Amino acid sequence: MTPNAERFLADLHSLRSFGAAGTGKGVKRRAFSEADIAARKWLASRMEEAGLEVHFDPLGNLFGLGGERSLLIGSHSDSQPEGGWLDGALGVVAGLEIARAAKEAGAPPVSVVSFQDEEGRFGVLTGSEVWAGKLDLAEADTFTDEAGLTLAEARRRMADVAGDFLPQGRFSGFLEMHIEQGPALDQGAGRIGVVTDIVGIRDMRISFTGQQNHAGTTPMALRADAFQELSAFNTVLNDRFANVVTPQTVWTIGHVALHPNAASVVPGQVTFSMQWRDGDAERLGRMAAIIRETAEEVAAARGMSVSLGPVMGIEPQAMHPQMQAALADSAGALAPGEWQKMPSGALHDAANLAPLMPTGMLFVPSIGGISHDFAEDTAEADLVLGLQVLARAAASL
Ligand code: GLV
Ligand code: MN
Ligand code: MN
């Protein structure tokens, strides 16, 4: 089975034309946007041309089936609001190329998948989480994006192609190739990473409500200013985390909605995302308790009210030893001295599949460690090397 590097790169560049942002190679292809749905339908047509059986499930997860039971290779093709061209897309197109090459060679079948909403417009890795049976579809349907659109409403946009959920037992294992999205390979072995573990994540929405008022007439001492509240919360939280976190722990307030968001109005309400990640589930729990206590204390101190949304999350996951060994053996043969084992600080669909079937992940470097930005990129020689390492591992499995 020999993957065709030119065809793989051509497909990868074609996929980039769906939702092309016009800034570098970046894309805007959020889950269930017009560009995302058009990209999924184009991918489906490429799968069909490759002789794979196309299947969309109720969540918009797209499968290209190579046989009754097979290895599954893939990732996601939705993007962040300002996404790079490779995040997810690389793993889907690599899966397509290997499934196609396997068919051409008459090798054992390989199937390909593009999971939906990996980037968490509605949940966290929503498509693979529902397919894996970890999240109920009815519950997921109530999730909203920042503008209040529910997943149930968004899913209707793909109702014309949706079939049933596929049984998980159709697949003997899962491999995902992805860009690293950080600086470790760039600063380390250089070209290939074999993932040992994927960190766990927790994510919630928090709101502080005070009193909206006139920015000229309201004395400072009488204000219940939601922005000042968020600022105080952030400062106290960073202080308290210092006793609990390690240098690998990360936390982010990445989305903030201030109401009414006007220069001459004391803001009455702020709603923001609070996300934290670590390889240790117990530490994630301790951080959750600190977030809750801090929010309640800081709100009480200023006479504000606080609302804490549900905590969503994915547990830390180790990659399967057999998959790690196959990928490491392949990396050793094709990239001697230029590969390393490493954990993943980014979330991946592989974390949802690992409890169901032997699962492995392969990284290629991100230039400058940049991702979730239009500037994200990887040298094409590294993309092709990754494809070859993955194909060799798939063949050995
Ligand atoms: C997935 O893109 C993540 O945020 O790790
Ligand atoms: Mn990704
Ligand atoms: Mn991403």
Side-chain angles (χ1 to χ4, degrees):
M1 186 228 311
T2 314
N4 179 328
E6 273 166 33
R7 187 169 59 181
F8 158 73
L9 288 174
D11 277 348
L12 202 48
H13 281 284
S14 295
L15 181 50
R16 175 164 76 79
S17 69
F18 293 89
T23 305
K25 294 178 183 165
V27 295
K28 293 184 175 184
R29 212 164 53 222
R30 291 197 91 186
F32 296 105
S33 64
E34 257 177 54
D36 168 59
I37 294 170
R40 279 172 197 275
K41 290 187 174 171
W42 174 80
L43 279 166
S45 72
R46 292 300 279 157
M47 291 172 186
E48 211 163 76
E49 284 162 26
L52 304 169
E53 183 195 333
V54 169
H55 184 92
F56 283 99
D57 74 13
L59 223 108
N61 296 318
L62 164 62
F63 293 82
L65 300 169
E68 280 303 307
R69 186 171 155 85
S70 68
L71 182 65
L72 181 66
I73 304 182
S75 189
H76 62 97
S77 52
D78 60 306
S79 84
Q80 287 287 331
E82 295 194 355
W85 71 298
L86 297 170
D87 181 354
L90 174 63
V92 174
V93 176
L96 169 62
E97 181 50 39
I98 293 172
R100 192 160 46 191
K103 257 214 178 299
E104 286 169 354
V110 173
S111 299
V112 49
V113 63
S114 170
F115 286 112
Q116 181 58 295
D117 197 29
E118 192 274 351
E119 298 289 10
R121 176 174 183 176
F122 297 95
V124 179
L125 314 182
T126 323
S128 56
E129 195 174 16
V130 172
W131 181 66
K134 294 167 69 182
L135 171 64
D136 221 46
L137 182 59
E139 187 186 347
D141 268 344
T142 66
F143 292 174
T144 56
D145 71 0
E146 302 88 350
L149 178 74
T150 63
L151 177 61
E153 288 164 326
R155 287 201 300 121
R156 272 184 224 127
R157 298 173 184 171
M158 292 188 71
D160 58 324
V161 290
D164 290 335
F165 284 109
L166 287 175
Q168 300 142 0
R170 277 196 79 127
F171 306 108
S172 54
F174 179 62
L175 288 177
E176 181 168 5
M177 171 171 160
H178 207 281
I179 49 167
E180 182 210 327
Q181 309 185 273
L185 278 175
D186 237 14
Q187 293 168 9
R191 301 193 68 192
I192 297 288
V194 173
V195 176
T196 52
D197 306 85
I198 301 177
V199 297
I201 189 171
R202 299 287 183 269
D203 207 313
M204 72 193 292
R205 271 183 215 161
I206 302 178
S207 294
F208 290 119
T209 305
Q211 178 60 55
Q212 184 176 322
N213 212 333
H214 195 290
T217 57
T218 316
M220 295 309 283
L222 296 184
R223 292 183 181 201
D225 179 329
F227 176 80
Q228 295 298 330
E229 183 69 9
L230 171 58
S231 172
F233 166 76
N234 184 56
T235 303
V236 177
L237 187 70
N238 287 346
D239 246 28
R240 292 183 178 178
F241 273 171
N243 299 323
V244 174
V245 299
T246 75
Q248 281 72 46
T249 315
V250 293
W251 60 99
T252 309
I253 295 175
H255 183 267
V256 175
L258 199 60
H259 185 85
N261 210 16
S264 290
V265 184
V266 176
Q269 188 171 58
V270 66
T271 301
F272 59 99
S273 61
M274 180 78 233
Q275 184 191 90
W276 60 109
R277 308 189 192 206
D278 194 86
D280 177 355
E282 202 192 319
R283 182 173 293 109
L284 291 171
R286 268 187 279 154
M287 292 172 77
I290 293 172
I291 289 166
R292 249 181 242 114
E293 277 162 28
T294 305
E296 279 161 6
E297 275 176 41
V298 171
R302 292 165 180 252
M304 314 266 298
S305 66
V306 60
S307 147
L308 300 161
V311 179
M312 298 197 250
I314 307 275
E315 296 312 306
Q317 286 294 337
M319 296 294 95
H320 195 280
Q322 186 197 354
M323 297 309 218
Q324 288 191 51
L327 292 166
D329 183 64
S330 183
L334 300 180
E338 294 184 300
W339 71 279
Q340 67 189 73
K341 291 200 167 194
M342 59 185 296
S344 172
L347 256 297
H348 298 289
D349 294 305
N352 277 332
L353 272 70
L356 297 178
M357 61 187 82
T359 292
M361 273 204 88
L362 185 74
F363 280 168
V364 292
S366 295
I367 295 171
I370 303 287
S371 187
H372 285 184
D373 186 276
F374 294 146
E376 165 195 293
D377 209 358
T378 298
E380 290 199 350
D382 289 335
L383 299 177
V384 170
L385 179 64
L387 173 71
Q388 289 162 343
V389 171
L390 188 70
R392 190 181 179 283
S396 80
L397 288 162

